Amino acid sequence: MVGTFWALVPPIVAIVLALITKEAYSSLFIGIVVGALFYTGFSPIGTLDTVLNDGFLAALADGWNAGIFLFLVLLGTMVALINAAGGSAAFGRWATTHVKSRGGAMLATFVLGVLIFIDDYFNCLTVGSVMRPLTDTHRISRSKLAYLIDATAAPICMIAPISSWAAAVSSTAADLNAGITGIQLFIRAIPYNFYSLLTFVFVIALIVLKFDFGPMKLQELNAMVNGDTGANAAEEKSEANPRGRVIDLILPTIVLIITCVLGMVYIGGFFGTDLWGGTDCAGDFVGAFGNTDASVGLSWGAIIALVITIIYFCCRRVLTFRQCMECLPKGFVSMVPAMIILTFALTLKNVTGLLGAAEYVGALMESASAGLAALLPAVIFIVGCALAFSTGTSWGTFGILIPIVVAMYPADSEMLYIGISACLAGAVCGDHCSPISDTTIMASAGAQCEHVTHVSTQLPYALTVAAICFVNYIIAGFVQNAWICLAIGAVLTVATLLVIKAVSNRKEAKAA
């Protein structure tokens, strides 16, 4: 079963069960067990050993994963501190008087998500913690907040030249015969990254049209009519600190952003600290991002920001030192659901990797390359979507597909840029749709909503944009002009939403 279609069955089982049962933990665990059974030839003892040693323990022992878990706990503690100091409540009161509409609140969330382009994990958790008071005030469902977070986190990172994602792509393409450097290839592919760009068009059009469809519409109606935003049941409610001010949310957030950026470039060697014994990146900001370890850099930044925040609150006397320390376990508890789901998802990825899912999809791509020519970018996009959806990792997806795509096209050609962008767009799209994606899990954690609810409400939106992108990549293979294709894609996106809105209104009129 290794290296065959059966390698994709475990994640498919987990995803289908999660969508049917609305319960993520057991669905992911069943997927893990199914994968281990396939890998060991249905040996009971071998299955248990694979689940524990090659699955859970390997996921928890991985340095990158441990760093992300630490970053989650530190972010949770920062949020708990800000809430205890009354910063979130004060921001909510301020926003009520300055942001007058639901559309304005959603647009503000979208803009903040676009501005935080350094890293998707950092984006999800920061935007969520900052915007929850505002969206709750305007009765915006947590599902809609999670979608707005998820629709900006990975997509903006995939088109920002200075981000952890740009660094990952450029390092993957660095040693390939592309005719240009890895970062140049990434930049040249940005205009053709239709999924990221058209997702922004889609979100803005939804806000302007004041329209929702599918499961999201029910969530929004429930929030507007009944005031039930669908907040996570584990989210702690506490009385607002009367001494809290807006600056008690803004200042820690700004400090966190600055220290995380500095932490990432420091680890990458920007200040002459060659921590990994690799490339000399002293004074090279972009190069430092390419050489960094985001999990370590973000943890560095979060620890420094946490210490500064505690000192600040104690000096302002909005919290005592003892009250600050009481926020440490609260922050950990708030992130436990996200950490459990992430652990299960990482374990499932490990088991799927043992079954050779990546090698199977890579072989399919190479066999499909002959005779497709102009249609190949659309095929690459679909394969990228499928691989990222089934494995839950966009980085792993473009790590597999980029070398294959570079080998398909002449160096420094327009079709090469279209093919690379199709690969990257497919990776983001599949990651956006997948219940086992770490970014999707982070968006749920940032919005503090039920994870499966976020997935089920987001899926129709993501698939709508994906269908438009598929058509656009077919057109791009023939036209080979990014700006013409983007204009066509934007028109198709708005037109599709108008048609869906008209059909929805017609159905409601008949039902009435």
Side-chain angles (χ1 to χ4, degrees):
M1 292 183 177
V2 176
T4 67
F5 173 76
W6 290 103
L8 300 178
V9 171
I12 291 173
V13 168
I15 290 166
V16 171
L17 284 176
L19 294 175
I20 291 174
T21 64
K22 309 296 183 185
E23 205 287 308
Y25 303 127
S26 61
S27 301
L28 288 168
F29 183 73
I30 290 171
I32 293 166
V33 173
V34 169
L37 285 169
F38 287 174
Y39 180 68
T40 61
F42 297 91
S43 165
I45 301 299
T47 296
L48 181 60
D49 180 68
T50 299
V51 169
L52 291 177
N53 291 318
D54 298 323
F56 284 103
L57 294 180
L60 294 172
D62 183 84
W64 173 278
N65 298 339
I68 294 302
F69 286 147
L70 176 60
F71 180 61
L72 277 172
V73 172
L74 293 169
L75 253 300
T77 304
M78 284 284 291
V79 172
L81 277 169
I82 293 169
N83 288 340
S88 297
F91 180 78
R93 293 192 297 270
W94 174 87
T96 302
T97 60
H98 289 78
V99 181
K100 301 294 185 179
S101 65
R102 299 180 82 252
M106 288 187 278
L107 188 61
T109 304
F110 171 78
V111 171
L112 182 60
V114 170
L115 290 175
I116 302 179
F117 53 79
I118 297 298
D119 184 78
D120 55 327
Y121 289 174
F122 181 53
N123 181 305
C124 290
L125 298 175
T126 303
V127 175
S129 62
V130 171
M131 299 310 295
R132 279 200 305 268
L134 176 59
T135 55
D136 284 352
T137 299
H138 288 281
R139 294 192 173 189
I140 296 170
S141 69
R142 292 295 179 87
S143 297
K144 190 63 172 289
L145 174 60
Y147 171 69
L148 293 172
I149 294 170
D150 217 350
T152 52
I156 192 60
C157 290
M158 190 55 96
I159 60 173
I162 301 175
S163 70
S164 56
W165 288 51
V169 173
S170 59
S171 62
T172 301
D175 299 324
L176 303 175
N177 186 26
I180 52 178
T181 65
I183 192 63
Q184 288 174 327
L185 182 63
F186 176 85
I187 293 171
R188 294 288 292 272
I190 289 173
Y192 286 107
N193 197 317
F194 299 135
Y195 185 80
S196 294
L197 296 170
L198 294 183
T199 294
F200 298 157
V201 176
F202 187 86
V203 170
I204 294 171
L206 280 177
I207 295 171
V208 171
L209 294 172
K210 299 179 181 179
F211 167 65
D212 286 291
F213 62 93
M216 185 73 79
K217 186 173 185 177
L218 298 176
Q219 293 289 323
E220 284 290 87
L221 284 173
N222 195 32
M224 286 188 287
V225 176
N226 302 321
D228 180 10
T229 61
N232 196 324
E235 186 176 356
E236 183 176 344
K237 302 292 183 182
S238 58
E239 292 186 7
N241 189 327
R243 290 171 290 179
R245 298 177 183 175
V246 174
I247 191 66
D248 295 328
L249 181 144
I250 300 298
L251 185 61
T253 301
I254 292 174
V255 170
L256 180 65
I257 293 172
I258 293 172
T259 55
C260 282
V261 172
L262 290 176
M264 290 179 71
V265 296
Y266 173 76
I267 296 299
F270 179 75
F271 300 102
T273 49
D274 189 11
L275 298 184
W276 311 117
T279 307
D280 181 10
C281 297
D284 181 1
F285 195 81
V286 175
F289 265 98
N291 192 45
T292 195
D293 184 325
S295 66
V296 178
L298 290 173
S299 296
W300 271 61
I303 287 175
I304 296 170
L306 180 61
V307 172
I308 293 173
T309 301
I310 291 173
I311 294 172
Y312 167 72
F313 284 147
C314 289
C315 290
R316 254 201 20 93
R317 296 186 178 180
V318 291
L319 292 176
T320 65
F321 182 74
R322 179 180 292 277
Q323 288 173 322
C324 289
M325 292 301 100
E326 289 173 352
C327 291
L328 293 175
K330 290 180 181 178
F332 178 84
V333 169
S334 69
M335 287 299 172
V336 165
M339 292 172 66
I340 293 175
I341 292 179
L342 189 56
T343 300
F344 277 96
L346 292 168
T347 302
L348 182 58
K349 289 177 190 177
N350 286 347
V351 173
T352 305
L354 292 174
L355 289 170
E359 292 77 6
Y360 169 69
V361 174
L364 282 182
M365 270 294 300
E366 290 180 330
S367 63
S369 63
L372 292 174
L375 295 177
L376 193 54
V379 174
I380 294 170
F381 174 71
I382 291 299
V383 171
C385 288
L387 183 56
F389 182 81
S390 58
T391 61
T393 169
S394 49
W395 285 30
T397 297
F398 61 66
I400 294 163
L401 295 184
I402 284 177
I404 298 172
V405 173
V406 170
M408 289 178 182
Y409 294 111
D412 198 16
S413 66
E414 199 70 14
M415 284 300 291
L416 172 62
Y417 308 139
I418 298 172
I420 289 293
S421 67
C423 162
L424 301 181
V428 174
C429 178
D431 182 270
H432 202 186
C433 296
S434 178
I436 60 174
S437 159
D438 44 9
T439 307
T440 308
I441 294 167
M442 293 296 158
S444 302
Q448 288 290 296
C449 76
E450 294 297 330
H451 179 60
V452 176
T453 303
H454 166 47
V455 173
S456 62
T457 53
Q458 174 170 270
L459 199 56
Y461 289 5
L463 291 178
T464 301
V465 179
I468 296 169
C469 289
F470 177 73
V471 173
N472 240 31
Y473 278 115
I474 294 175
I475 297 171
F478 293 96
V479 175
Q480 297 185 26
N481 185 295
W483 308 114
I484 293 175
C485 294
L486 276 175
I488 294 172
V491 171
L492 285 174
T493 301
V494 176
T496 300
L497 281 175
L498 288 173
V499 169
I500 294 173
K501 184 176 183 180
V503 171
S504 178
N505 290 341
R506 193 177 300 117
K507 287 182 178 179
E508 289 180 358
K510 286 183 179 179

